[in-house]
Amino acid sequence: MSTSHVLLGLLAGGPRHGYELKRSHDERLPQAKPLAFGQVYATLGRLERDGLVEQSGQDRDGGPDRTSYVITEAGRARLGEWLTEVEAPAPYVTSALFAKVVVSLLASGERTATDYLVAQRTAHITRLRELTAVKTDSAAAVGDVVAADYAIAHLDADLRWLQTTLLRLADLNEEMNP
Amino acid sequence: MNTLLQGTALHRAYGPTPALRGVDIEVTEGEIVAITGPSGCGKSTLLHCLAGIMRVDSGSVRYRDQDIGLWSESARSKLRRTEFGVLFQFGQLVPELTAGENVALPLLLGGAKRREARKTAEEWLDRFGVAELADKLPGAMSGGQQQRCAVARAMVTEPRALFADEPTGALDVLTGEQVLGEIVRVARERGMAVVLVTHEAQIAAYADREISLRDGALDPTGLGLRTHA
Ligand SMILES: Nc1ncnc2c1ncn2[C@@H]1O[C@H](COP(=O)(O)OP(=O)(O)O)[C@@H](O)[C@H]1O
Ligand SMILES: [Mg+2]
């Protein structure tokens, strides 16, 4: 995910300090890793260099977290482009799962790979249940539900993959360890 | 928590086709249990046996520690009417009756007064967001609306256990989620147990616990592994 585009999006609502940007990033995208301050200032620096944001003021006591930024016309144009771009349907954690199955077969054997798949499935199902509980909480905000939907759909895809991989494991093993 | 339902060594065949081959299952009060597994593994058969709709060939189904296999048909029928609610994929509403009359039906069969039944039915239709359909016939409703009415009818007697066999299988994804979310919320609120049959992981995730079947037997890994674990 692109932090610079997310910051541009947050600035589209009006000028903000670096500290406020971090806070609203973490609040708006609770599923994402919290932003480090260093990352916020580094990203703002790049955006400023590229003419996508500019400094709009300093509070009296100076300091980097007291500088506020505003989005420029070029910044708005860039944001508009990003918002209409389709993201590449990238394989997600499945690549890590796949790597583990392959390494299991290479380094240990079918039994280890099977045990791993079973354990991974359990972990996925547990997470799926937690995310579903978020959705059925009557106090849940629509934003939380939408974020949970996204994670659930991806976990479900992984679960299907775990199932089919298990069915193909003997063949895969044969192919890799002829 | 107390055991509500207990199936022990359940066997059931259709002629030469075995559908259940020694299943043990326990459901506690207020618990939501998903029964999962691929098509043909015996999920529906298990649900019908637990709900007392179908008799087992051998093994026992106990409800609150009583073997319902030993009961007369009329006692089992009363149990189903008063303590259980059932919900299928579609097509359970009486087409000649309005939504309000459909939902009031189980109450009337249980001896409730007409006005009282009507009022309670309306409350339940309202709980599932379809109060305005009370005077409509099923034929004039969408699939989602019909299913919401069917849910209201299955829950109107406040059963101790709701048996739901692929209850969202005929609905679009969003409607299915909403209906299931509402079922789970109301069941938790009222301490109703739910036995939810589904072949989808996303649906099973609404439950507290999942029991997987494969070829009529329990599948502890949920992955159809032969015999290890
Ligand atoms: N009425 C029936 N007559 C004959 N065979 C049946 C009948 N109902 C189910 N079966 C068979 O019993 C097995 C289990 O079916 P079922 O309980 O419906 O599975 P599931 O609900 O998991 O798809 C399957 O092999 C199915 O073909
Ligand atoms: Mg079935």
Side-chain angles (χ1 to χ4, degrees), chain B residues 132-143:
Chain B
E132 76 285 359
L133 301 177
D135 296 323
K136 284 220 159 113
L137 293 171
M141 301 177 205
S142 71

Side-chain angles (χ1 to χ4, degrees), chain B residues 165-178:
Chain B
D165 194 347
E166 311 265 6
T168 61
L171 305 177
D172 65 83
V173 176
L174 191 58
T175 306
E177 289 222 336
Q178 286 166 345

Side-chain angles (χ1 to χ4, degrees), chain A residues 69-91:
Chain A
Y69 289 84
V70 63
I71 189 168
T72 63
E73 268 316 301
R76 282 190 192 279
R78 183 70 205 89
L79 180 64
E81 278 166 35
W82 184 66
L83 289 176
T84 55
E85 263 167 32
V86 172
E87 296 285 332

Side-chain angles (χ1 to χ4, degrees), chain B residues 46-64:
Chain B
L46 178 57
L47 180 133
H48 280 76
C49 290
L50 289 175
I53 299 168
M54 186 183 277
R55 285 186 183 272
V56 291
D57 296 335
S58 68
S60 69
V61 174
R62 303 176 82 82
Y63 175 71
R64 290 193 157 152

Side-chain angles (χ1 to χ4, degrees), chain B residues 8 24 30 36-37 41 52 55 81 124 138 158-159 163 165 167 206-207 217:
Chain B
T8 309
D24 293 324
T36 64
C41 69
R55 285 186 183 272
R81 207 173 56 231
W124 279 87
E158 306 215 17
F163 297 90
D165 194 347
Y206 282 81

Side-chain angles (χ1 to χ4, degrees), chain A residues 80-149:
Chain A
E81 278 166 35
W82 184 66
L83 289 176
T84 55
E85 263 167 32
V86 172
E87 296 285 332
Y92 181 50
V93 291
T94 307
S95 59
L97 308 192
F98 180 63
K100 207 164 275 194
V101 169
V102 168
V103 172
S104 282
L105 290 180
L106 284 176
S108 182
E110 207 175 315
R111 173 70 183 260
T112 308
T114 302
D115 289 346
Y116 164 67
L117 288 169
V118 171
Q120 186 65 56
R121 177 181 183 273
T122 306
H124 266 58
I125 288 196
T126 303
R127 185 73 191 120
L128 204 60
R129 201 171 283 138
E130 288 166 6
L131 290 161
T132 303
V134 168
K135 295 203 320 184
T136 51
D137 181 347
S138 50
V142 181
D144 295 336
V145 172
V146 170
D149 277 341

Side-chain angles (χ1 to χ4, degrees), chain B residues 14 17 19 38-45:
Chain B
Y14 299 95
T17 313
S39 179
C41 69
K43 303 183 295 295
S44 296
T45 304

